Amino acid sequence: MTELMQADHVPLLFAAAALFCVTVYVLADGLDLGVGILFLAAPRDQDRDVMMASIEPVWDGNETWLVMGGTLLFAAFPAGYYILLPAFYLPIMFMLFALIFRGVAFGFRLQATRFRPVWDAAFFAGSLLATFCQGLILGGLIDGVPVENGMFAGGAFSFLSVLGVLCGIGLVGGYALIGAGWLIWKAEGPTQVFGREIARAALILTAAMMLLVSLWSAWSVPEVAARWFALPNLFWLAPVPLLTVAVIAWIWWAIWNGREAQTFALALVLYALGLFGLVVSLWPYVVPRQVTVWDGLSDPRSLAFLGVGVMVIIPVVLAYQAHAYWIFRGKVQHEADGAHSGYG
């Protein structure tokens, strides 16, 4: 097993596993973070009950992928971990506290009566802060991390950048779009109408920020511009922005044309295209322009142990989540007296 872990393709397999976990996390947790971002915009308390009930069976399982992705980075690419963690310590800690805070708000809101608006605001604030912190991390990765002698060489606020703020706003719009698509698919009546009404605003914000982030990245990071615009890459990668524009137009049309599941699925596709663009811009680095997946790989024995765990845990978590989504399929229904929300 140890000899197998020394093969040249092993870094690619572990990088693919880490990328898979991050992608599933972004797409899965994006829907409940998006619902949280939209929470205070809902016009009625009954709508918020339906929104909460729609994600209640699945939201906590979604964050498993965040833990798994972080564990993979730590175990498989320790060089990336000990450089990136201090570089993004503050946004990572604020993100984790925000995720914990929104989890507490989720539980307390179900039981609260007098202080329910307080927990509504807490659920929204936790969702918004966690999303924006993810954008700051993303922007910092694209900008690059200062490294000297194999160690992080910046300060506590080195992660702050214009690109990070743009990415944060873009993630807020993107998660809101996924959340709106989820409501269109899972809700009925006024709550579904609310999802349709806010979906187009979220789509406009997402499309605008994708364009701004792309232009700013190409202007401020020469390596990113070279990756996308140098020949022959330009010809190979040109379909990606063209497909992105087509998906945006398709979502715009689907929102008010009875395509409930399609709107949600297309929002996920749009986000996946954004992630693909990020991978193209940063590949093959764990730490952008500093440490590649080959340079930062762990020792063969650690990889052998980790590989067994990955092969066991990922299928189990996928099966569990697939079962949860299947059991709680269908529309969320809300009783007239507002006493209970659930799946019908």
Side-chain angles (χ1 to χ4, degrees):
M1 186 71 172
T2 302
E3 290 77 9
L4 180 63
M5 289 299 159
Q6 294 175 332
D8 290 339
H9 65 274
V10 170
L12 301 180
L13 294 177
F14 281 98
L19 179 61
F20 176 78
C21 292
V22 171
T23 301
V24 175
Y25 167 74
V26 168
L27 298 182
D29 206 39
L31 73 90
D32 63 74
L33 285 171
V35 168
I37 290 169
L38 300 177
F39 210 62
L40 293 186
R44 305 178 306 155
D45 195 54
Q46 291 88 343
D47 296 317
R48 286 184 282 275
D49 289 339
V50 172
M51 293 166 71
M52 191 72 82
S54 73
I55 61 173
E56 183 178 4
V58 297
W59 75 278
D60 51 350
N62 294 336
E63 291 169 2
T64 303
W65 297 101
L66 178 63
V67 177
M68 201 177 307
T71 302
L72 271 172
L73 178 64
F74 171 72
F77 304 101
Y81 186 86
Y82 67 67
I83 293 174
L84 294 179
L85 182 62
F88 300 110
Y89 184 80
L90 286 179
I92 288 174
M93 293 306 299
F94 277 116
M95 179 188 71
L96 294 178
F97 280 125
L99 291 174
I100 294 170
F101 190 54
R102 71 189 292 270
V104 172
F106 194 108
F108 274 81
R109 185 193 182 276
L110 294 175
Q111 306 298 327
T113 53
R114 181 179 176 184
F115 292 101
R116 174 170 282 199
V118 175
W119 295 115
D120 288 348
F123 186 63
F124 160 77
S127 301
L128 184 66
L129 179 60
T131 301
F132 191 74
C133 286
Q134 291 177 16
L136 291 176
I137 296 169
L138 176 60
L141 283 174
I142 299 173
D143 258 341
V145 175
V147 176
E148 291 182 7
N149 300 319
M151 301 295 292
F152 173 63
F157 295 96
S158 296
F159 66 90
L160 285 175
S161 66
V162 173
L163 187 57
V165 173
L166 293 177
C167 288
I169 298 173
L171 282 185
V172 169
Y175 282 171
L177 177 62
I178 295 175
W182 176 258
L183 294 179
I184 293 171
W185 184 26
K186 305 298 287 188
E188 296 178 312
T191 307
Q192 187 188 70
V193 173
F194 163 70
R196 293 186 188 278
E197 289 175 341
I198 206 162
R200 282 194 168 176
L203 179 60
I204 292 172
L205 177 60
T206 303
M209 298 314 299
M210 289 181 78
L211 178 61
L212 279 176
V213 167
S214 299
L215 294 176
W216 191 275
S217 299
W219 177 76
S220 62
V221 185
E223 294 86 353
V224 173
R227 178 64 57 87
W228 282 91
F229 299 113
L231 296 176
N233 292 2
L234 179 62
F235 298 113
W236 289 107
L237 298 176
V240 177
L242 295 177
L243 183 58
T244 301
V245 172
V247 171
I248 290 172
W250 196 352
I251 296 173
W252 184 271
W253 173 83
I255 289 172
W256 285 102
N257 283 275
R259 304 300 195 270
E260 298 178 356
Q262 189 179 99
T263 303
F264 175 65
L266 287 171
L268 296 181
V269 170
L270 180 62
Y271 229 88
L273 287 170
L275 287 173
F276 178 78
L278 175 65
V279 172
V280 170
S281 299
L282 298 182
W283 180 258
Y285 295 99
V286 178
V287 180
R289 276 85 68 185
Q290 299 289 344
V291 181
T292 69
V293 295
W294 290 275
D295 298 331
L297 198 64
S298 186
D299 65 277
R301 289 189 177 183
S302 298
L303 294 177
F305 179 79
L306 180 63
V308 173
V310 167
M311 288 187 290
V312 173
I313 293 175
I314 287 183
V316 170
V317 177
L318 282 174
Y320 162 76
Q321 285 206 290
H323 179 70
Y325 279 95
W326 174 256
I327 291 297
F328 295 99
R329 65 191 183 278
K331 295 285 189 179
V332 181
Q333 297 178 350
H334 186 84
E335 294 184 1
D337 59 1
H340 174 74
S341 294
Y343 282 79

